Amino acid sequence: MPKFHDYTCRIGWTGNRGDGTRTYRGYDRTWDITTIGKPVIKCSNDPLLGGNPALPNPEDLLLASVSACHMLWYLHLGSDAGIVVHSYTDEPVGHGESEPNGAGRFVGITLRPRIEVESGIDLHKAEAIHHRIHEVCYIARSVNFPILVEADYRKL
């Protein structure tokens, strides 16, 4: 029997310059994500849509969520399989498309983890773990686009 979980946060728009949304260019596309007991995350819209390029946007957050969930499952399943990981970094790329009417969506994500494993590790076994992750990763199971993995390994 599945267990159900609820996740909560508060999204609060911070971009009112005094006149609300009276004009399209008269307000900022900024907001805060507040989760009880955690630091506030200041965010903005995609810079292509008038957002602040110095702040995370929804697309950044989705990309990071997919990558982080994959990494955490890799470390877990790798540990269970005897794959000793010393370092894991990823520079994922989100592939998007925009329609003429402005509607957009992700059409895929490519994860590009660089993983340092202990000398003597079977790299075929280490690679096989990636293919099992999408069966269990909460975020990967929640999106409707393909997630590819192009891992690079280094033995210590």
Side-chain angles (χ1 to χ4, degrees):
M1 184 89 160
K3 295 179 184 175
F4 292 93
H5 310 275
D6 291 328
Y7 298 91
T8 64
C9 69
R10 179 179 183 277
I11 303 295
W13 175 51
T14 60
N16 186 347
R17 296 181 194 156
D19 285 328
T21 60
R22 187 173 316 280
T23 65
Y24 182 73
R25 298 203 188 283
Y27 63 93
D28 291 331
R29 279 73 174 163
T30 57
W31 72 92
D32 291 343
I33 300 172
T34 305
T35 308
I36 295 173
K38 299 176 184 178
V40 172
I41 302 170
K42 297 196 172 299
C43 299
S44 184
N45 201 9
D46 184 319
L48 296 174
L49 302 170
N52 181 341
L55 298 175
N57 60 56
E59 295 81 5
D60 295 333
L61 297 170
L62 178 60
L63 181 62
S65 294
V66 169
S67 177
C69 190
H70 187 93
M71 175 192 68
L72 292 168
W73 271 106
Y74 188 87
L75 297 173
H76 173 89
L77 296 175
S79 178
D80 285 352
I83 304 295
V84 179
V85 175
H86 289 278
S87 173
Y88 185 114
T89 59
D90 191 9
E91 295 181 17
V93 177
H95 312 288
E97 69 177 12
S98 298
E99 300 289 336
N101 69 359
R105 68 182 183 132
F106 275 95
V107 295
I109 286 180
T110 302
L111 303 177
R112 302 179 306 167
R114 289 180 178 82
I115 305 166
E116 290 184 355
V117 295
E118 201 160 274
S119 181
I121 295 296
D122 179 347
L123 293 183
H124 294 292
K125 188 175 174 182
E127 178 69 17
I129 293 169
H130 291 290
H131 306 291
R132 294 178 39 217
I133 292 172
H134 295 166
E135 298 169 12
V136 292
C137 173
Y138 205 96
I139 305 299
R141 290 172 42 89
S142 300
V143 299
N144 67 350
F145 50 78
I147 300 169
L148 304 176
V149 180
E150 297 174 355
D152 182 37
Y153 301 92
R154 185 174 148 220
K155 290 185 178 183
L156 292 180

